[in-house]
């Protein structure tokens, strides 16, 4: 069965600083990997996804993520954080067959000015 | 534009009442999902449906019921048996495989008064 771990419950970064949110997954075959963002009181919006090929994927809002099979990781990065990036971020993994996603517990990002 | 519509955005329930949350999608997705979100607990799956007239319990189905009479609609009823219904409820849909992830609605906040 798939599982996802987001080790950091909260992260605080200064505006303009770089950001890395960690995600580790457990799955025996080729995973489909996703990052979602949720603003308070809103639904989840897809930031980016990985299926195969290039292990560095670009998403919306200047985010990118790198798939590292050897480390079972799919960390989300942004070179320079903006105050509007403050939100909760969820990593999710899906199987090659079937359509259920398993979500991590989320990481709350706070941005200080 | 295609998407998922959840209504109402805010809902208040008196003790002992059943309430129904609406979820409608025009994405022609086969699968639909209901999640409950509480602070610090991530997303917990309540029910999901892969096809019309069929649905399965998720991790926290007790006190909830669903129906899937139409492909576009997946309403969730929070019954009086759910002892702690105050939460944020999210509906999502997906195609038959997880290649494209989920599309989420904007959520319904249910409060017991």
């Amino acid at each position: 069965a798939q599982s996802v771990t987001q080790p950091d419950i909260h992260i605080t970064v200064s505006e303009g600083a770089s950001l890395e949110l960690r995600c580790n997954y457990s799955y025996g075959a080729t995973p489909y990997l996703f990052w979602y963002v949720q603003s308070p009181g809103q639904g989840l919006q897809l930031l980016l996804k990985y299926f195969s090929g290039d292990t560095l994927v670009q998403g919306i809002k200047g985010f990118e993520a790198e798939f590292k099979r050897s480390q079972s990781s799919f960390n989300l990065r942004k070179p320079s954080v903006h105050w509007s990036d403050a939100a909760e971020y969820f990593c999710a993994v899906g199987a090659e067959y079937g359509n259920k996603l398993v979500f991590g517990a989320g990481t709350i990002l706070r941005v200080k000015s | 534009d295609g998407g998922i519509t959840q209504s109402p955005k805010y809902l208040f329930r008196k003790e002992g009442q059943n309430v129904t949350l609406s979820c409608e999608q025009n994405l022609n997705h086969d699968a639909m999902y209901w999640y409950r979100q509480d602070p610090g607990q991530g997303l917990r799956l309540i029910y999901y449906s892969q096809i019309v007239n069929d649905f399965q319990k998720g991790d926290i189905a007790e006190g909830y019921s669903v129906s899937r009479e139409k492909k576009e609609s997946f309403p969730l009823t929070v019954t009086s048996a759910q002892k702690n219904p105050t939460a944020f409820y999210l509906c999502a849909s997906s195609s038959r495989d997880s290649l494209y992830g989920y599309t989420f609605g904007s959520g319904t906040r249910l409060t017991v008064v």
Side-chain angles (χ1 to χ4, degrees), chain B residues 32-45:
Chain B
M32 297 186 74
Y33 311 82
W34 274 106
Y35 285 90
R36 171 176 171 146
Q37 192 174 25
D38 298 279
Q41 298 198 44
L43 300 172
R44 293 187 289 168
L45 183 63

Side-chain angles (χ1 to χ4, degrees), chain A residues 34-70:
Chain A
F34 307 84
W35 274 101
Y36 288 86
V37 61
Q38 183 184 33
S39 297
Q42 300 296 318
L44 277 67
Q45 180 185 19
L46 181 65
L47 280 176
L48 48 79
K49 57 194 175 193
Y50 169 80
F51 303 134
S52 65
D54 194 348
T55 57
L56 185 64
V57 293
Q58 303 297 321
I60 62 172
K61 306 186 180 188
F63 285 92
E64 65 179 27
E66 186 171 14
F67 171 60
K68 293 186 177 180
R69 184 185 298 276
S70 61

Side-chain angles (χ1 to χ4, degrees), chain A residues 6-41:
Chain A
Q6 293 181 246
D8 304 304
I9 298 173
H10 296 100
I11 282 187
T12 300
V13 299
S14 298
E15 190 169 15
S18 64
L19 170 70
E20 183 170 32
L21 301 181
R22 296 183 291 164
C23 172
N24 294 98
Y25 70 91
S26 173
Y27 182 59
T30 301
Y32 294 162
L33 294 161
F34 307 84
W35 274 101
Y36 288 86
V37 61
Q38 183 184 33
S39 297

Side-chain angles (χ1 to χ4, degrees), chain A residues 32 34 36 38 41-46 49 51 88 90 94-106, chain B residues 9 31 33 35 37 41-43 45 48 50 88 90 94-102 104-107 109:
Chain A
Y32 294 162
F34 307 84
Y36 288 86
Q38 183 184 33
Q42 300 296 318
L44 277 67
Q45 180 185 19
L46 181 65
K49 57 194 175 193
F51 303 134
E88 189 162 13
F90 292 91
E96 188 170 1
Y97 299 101
N99 56 5
K100 279 183 64 182
L101 297 187
V102 174
F103 288 84
Chain B
K9 189 168 180 65
Y33 311 82
Y35 285 90
Q37 192 174 25
Q41 298 198 44
L43 300 172
L45 183 63
Y48 64 101
Q50 305 280 15
F88 190 58
L90 285 164
S94 74
S95 58
R96 286 189 180 181
D97 58 58
S98 58
L99 191 65
Y100 300 103
Y102 290 179
F104 282 86
S106 58
R109 183 164 300 282

